[in-house]
């Protein structure tokens, strides 16, 4: 109902056009009136995660990005290759809202007691369309942050924390005793280290730069292997022997790393084997690909026997699998430890309009460790 | 006990030498005296399966094969590449017996009632070292063939039949309703078609040649796709839509086929999707690699969402997982249907010495559909 009382708000939208371009724009949209079980949250903080960038950029080549529109209503366009475009048939010509998660203050509430109880509270929410000034959402989806927590501190309560916890839970549920993580110096990777240190779970970190080895060692990591080192495979096999890790979570996706991990796991498993087995070790070795920092093809040599698996891992599928109650326990742990275990750091805070500047996209679009942005959709507008 | 009464027998052995060659030879070995619970089987038929060739050739380049030794005691040597050699560290300098399965007549039995009951019976056995005149084995491992079954008819009671049944069982256990099979015109593939027709399970066959399409259509296959056809991806997606198959068993291993199957499954799944999902369909899509007809690397583009898996599938691991009783039921089905559902056809029957002739290796080493050999270890020796 866009009547006189309707609150308008800015929202980032991404449209893949059938001619092979993505158009990212800032639109003014009416905020829905909350139903009895809903609230309206003023979003004060929302991180730009790699998983957001997939939807935001639509797989476009952002080096081709061009700006148009006005300062208040910027528009960015960029080209999408025909191959990538083919996979996007399902979203053609639809202006999609973006932003998986965020935090802010409840400024309007529906009639139900549960909704009313949230008025004025600082909450974290997950559910898309967070790159917006306002978000109408079910009260039950709000995670109330502990008193004294700012929206910026609580902005990343779900994607990274639940993914990190989900990895450790998956490890346990599938009977592994330790785990491997790639792109391990990321915000998520640092969280995972803190969880594993706290929970006494052995973790093998794989990074691509020597300075990331130092970074992780400094926060207490035991096993850190640099995939750029000439002794990487030996180092990795050694770390896998020491930790007993037989499951890995890979953010890279493309290239040979997933296969290298399985190969090193097989080498580690065979160190304790008593006799030659033509089909390799009977230890099940698993790599879950949960990201695509390298969008190129995945390639492996199958030099790791027959007891192995590679598969996709998706947070929402994992949460569905474990069920609401188990997932709620994980969420409550995140809220309780949001300033310690699950603290995120950001390079820069930007407004919605600033997030669409070509020079900012060039920085956060790299998805480099230590280059993470936070959007404050109400920056300069309150 | 190699005393005067010891029965000597010929046996094929394969040794990987540390200098990077495989040496395949025919050795005279003493047959062990059967313990109370054991019998000695005179092997009259043993198939050369792809899984046997892995152990037999040790991954050597058989185009480099050279013959030496004598007509009665031939020796074949061939070069192994340094990469392959590295993976064979566990079997260096060990003369390994070869031959997973076979059939023959029980000619000597231990003192136990179970062993004695088998005297003179034609049995099928699994357990390695079957490319030999005699095999001492536990009575409980013998599958008694129905009266009137020849050893040649019962030679392949385990590897192909149990693999084919194991695929259908895995499909059921993991909640899929139809399956895909590659290299589908093979002996194994034909068996799988007969099982699926009998059990009313939809099966999508992938072959590489037009004549194999005809072959499978002739035995009643509904879905046959030729991966060499320019319309392969469309044909496959169509067959997957029609059958609802979401699990595949791949004998090829290397190349892009596994990824193509997952991509086509995703296309089929999205045909029924109601709205765009950025992470792809939620239908779990699985490819099990159980063979390595293409020894090259496996490569895929991950153009199939997040709900997918690729993994190794090994008969012995499957049988262990389902347990002895369930496995025994499968074995009994094989024995009962050995002349129908599970009938194998062979191109040629060779003796142990003939199996080591360079010109024969050149034929059966191709592992071509319709080029399967049967070894009769006692051919010309009885």
């Amino acid at each position: 109902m866009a009547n006189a009382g309707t609150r308008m708000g800015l929202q980032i939208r991404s449209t893949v056009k059938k001619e092979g371009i993505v158009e990212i724009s800032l639109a003014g949209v009416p905020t829905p009136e909350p139903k009895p079980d809903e609230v309206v949250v003023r979003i004060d903080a929302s991180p730009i995660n790699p998983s957001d960038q997939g939807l935001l950029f639509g797989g476009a080549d952002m080096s081709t990005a061009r700006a148009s529109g006005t300062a208040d209503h910027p528009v960015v366009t960029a080209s999408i290759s025909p191959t990538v475009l083919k996979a996007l048939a399902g979203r053609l010509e639809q202006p999609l809202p973006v932003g998986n998660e965020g935090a802010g203050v409840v400024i309007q509430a529906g009639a139900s007691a549960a909704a009313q109880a949230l008025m004025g509270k600082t909450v974290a929410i997950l559910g898309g369309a967070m790159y917006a000034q306002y978000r109408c959402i079910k009260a039950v989806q709000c995670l109330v942050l502990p008193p004294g927590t700012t929206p910026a501190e609580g902005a990343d309560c779900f994607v990274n924390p639940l993914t990190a916890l989900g990895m450790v839970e998956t490890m346990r549920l599938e009977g592994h005793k330790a785990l491997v993580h790639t792109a391990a110096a990321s915000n998520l990777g640092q969280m995972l280290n803190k969880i594993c240190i706290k929970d006494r779970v052995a973790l093998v970190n794989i990074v691509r730069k020597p300075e990331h080895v130092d970074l992780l060692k400094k926060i207490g990591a035991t096993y850190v292997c640099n995939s750029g080192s000439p002794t990487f495979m030996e180092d990795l096999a050694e770390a896998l022997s020491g930790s007993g890790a037989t499951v890995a979570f890979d953010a890279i996706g493309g290239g040979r790393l997933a296969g290298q991990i399985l190969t090193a796991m097989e080498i580690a498993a065979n160190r304790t084997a008593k006799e030659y087995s033509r089909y390799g070790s009977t230890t099940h070795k698993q790599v879950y690909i949960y990201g695509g920092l390298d969008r190129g093809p995945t390639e492996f040599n199958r030099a790791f026997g027959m007891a192995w698996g590679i598969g996709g891992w998706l947070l929402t599928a994992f949460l569905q699998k474990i069920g609401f109650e188990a997932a709620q326990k994980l969420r409550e742990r995140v809220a309780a430890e949001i300033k310690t275990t699950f603290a995120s750091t950001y390079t820069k805070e930007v407004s919605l309009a600033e997030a669409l500047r070509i020079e900012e996209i060039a920085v956060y679009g790299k998805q480099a460790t230590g280059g993470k942005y936070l959007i404050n959709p109400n920056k300069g507008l309150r």
Side-chain angles (χ1 to χ4, degrees), chain A:
Chain A
M1 298 180 288
N3 57 32
T6 297
R7 194 192 304 271
M8 294 297 289
L10 293 172
Q11 183 184 64
I12 289 181
R13 291 178 157 198
S14 170
T15 311
V16 171
K17 306 270 191 178
K18 58 182 183 307
E19 60 268 32
I21 61 164
V22 68
E23 183 184 281
I24 310 165
S25 63
L26 199 52
V29 296
T31 308
E33 277 297 300
K35 295 192 186 118
D37 61 341
E38 291 179 340
V39 296
V40 172
V41 180
R42 183 192 70 223
I43 308 290
D44 293 323
S46 177
I48 307 182
N49 285 315
S51 52
D52 296 307
Q53 296 191 26
L55 187 62
L56 183 63
F57 299 143
D61 174 359
M62 292 311 289
S63 70
T64 67
R66 302 174 65 109
S68 58
T70 64
D72 284 352
H73 290 283
V75 175
V76 174
T77 50
S79 314
I80 300 174
S81 78
T83 322
V84 173
L85 189 66
K86 229 163 54 177
L88 299 174
R91 61 169 286 193
L92 283 188
E93 303 297 334
Q94 298 167 50
L96 299 176
V98 190
N100 284 317
E101 64 182 334
V105 175
V106 175
I107 54 164
Q108 197 182 349
S112 73
Q116 285 294 324
L118 293 173
M119 266 304 291
K121 293 265 173 42
T122 299
V123 298
I125 50 181
L126 174 74
M130 298 297 166
Y131 295 169
Q133 282 185 271
Y134 307 102
R135 176 70 157 88
C136 183
I137 196 163
K138 286 213 157 82
V140 70
Q141 287 184 261
C142 295
L143 183 66
V144 177
L145 293 168
T149 311
T150 66
E153 287 168 337
D156 183 0
C157 262
F158 299 99
V159 179
N160 279 344
L162 292 181
T163 300
L165 286 172
M167 288 171 182
V168 178
E169 283 303 302
T170 300
M171 175 204 82
R172 288 192 184 112
L173 286 171
E174 299 186 2
H176 303 277
K177 66 170 209 171
L179 74 167
V180 180
H181 187 226
T182 73
S186 64
N187 256 327
L188 170 61
Q190 294 182 42
M191 269 180 206
L192 185 59
N193 273 281
K194 291 186 213 159
I195 295 168
C196 288
I197 290 166
K198 200 164 183 186
D199 295 6
R200 295 173 188 278
V201 169
L203 169 66
V204 176
N205 295 278
I206 299 177
V207 297
R208 285 173 288 186
K209 293 178 182 167
E211 58 265 36
H212 292 159
V213 177
D214 300 340
L215 188 159
L216 290 178
K217 289 273 184 190
K218 213 171 282 170
I219 65 167
T222 305
Y223 303 102
V224 191
C225 300
N226 178 358
S227 61
S229 156
T231 59
F232 172 59
M233 283 303 287
E234 290 82 353
D235 299 345
L236 182 57
E238 195 59 40
L240 293 169
S241 285
S243 63
T246 46
V247 64
F249 293 87
D250 175 34
I252 314 288
R256 295 171 179 235
L257 186 59
Q260 285 177 316
I261 293 170
L262 291 173
T263 303
M265 284 178 178
E266 179 71 4
I267 293 169
N270 284 332
R271 282 190 184 165
T272 54
K274 292 197 181 65
E275 62 175 20
Y276 174 65
S277 161
R278 48 195 289 213
Y279 294 118
S281 82
T282 54
T283 309
H284 184 77
K285 299 161 291 289
Q286 179 71 38
V287 174
Y288 286 113
I289 295 178
Y290 75 95
L293 293 177
D294 177 345
R295 294 201 217 147
T298 309
E299 194 185 309
F300 54 88
N301 284 314
R302 308 189 310 285
F304 32 72
M306 294 299 283
W308 61 275
I310 299 181
W313 191 93
L314 184 65
L315 176 59
T316 47
F318 166 75
L319 292 175
Q320 259 177 2
K321 191 172 140 189
I322 63 169
F324 182 81
E325 270 183 53
Q328 192 54 25
K329 271 191 195 152
L330 299 182
R331 285 185 202 105
E332 283 160 11
R333 175 169 178 186
V334 175
E337 301 175 30
I338 192 67
K339 290 196 183 193
T340 53
T341 317
F342 302 105
S344 277
T345 54
Y346 301 96
T347 315
K348 196 164 184 178
E349 185 182 290
V350 292
S351 69
L352 291 170
E354 287 163 352
L356 299 192
R357 286 190 189 154
I358 304 289
E359 61 272 25
E360 301 293 3
I361 290 172
V363 178
Y364 69 75
K366 270 190 219 148
Q367 304 183 9
T369 296
K372 190 165 181 177
Y373 273 46
L374 184 69
I375 295 182
N376 177 350
N378 283 289
K379 185 183 170 193
L381 299 174
R382 288 173 58 197

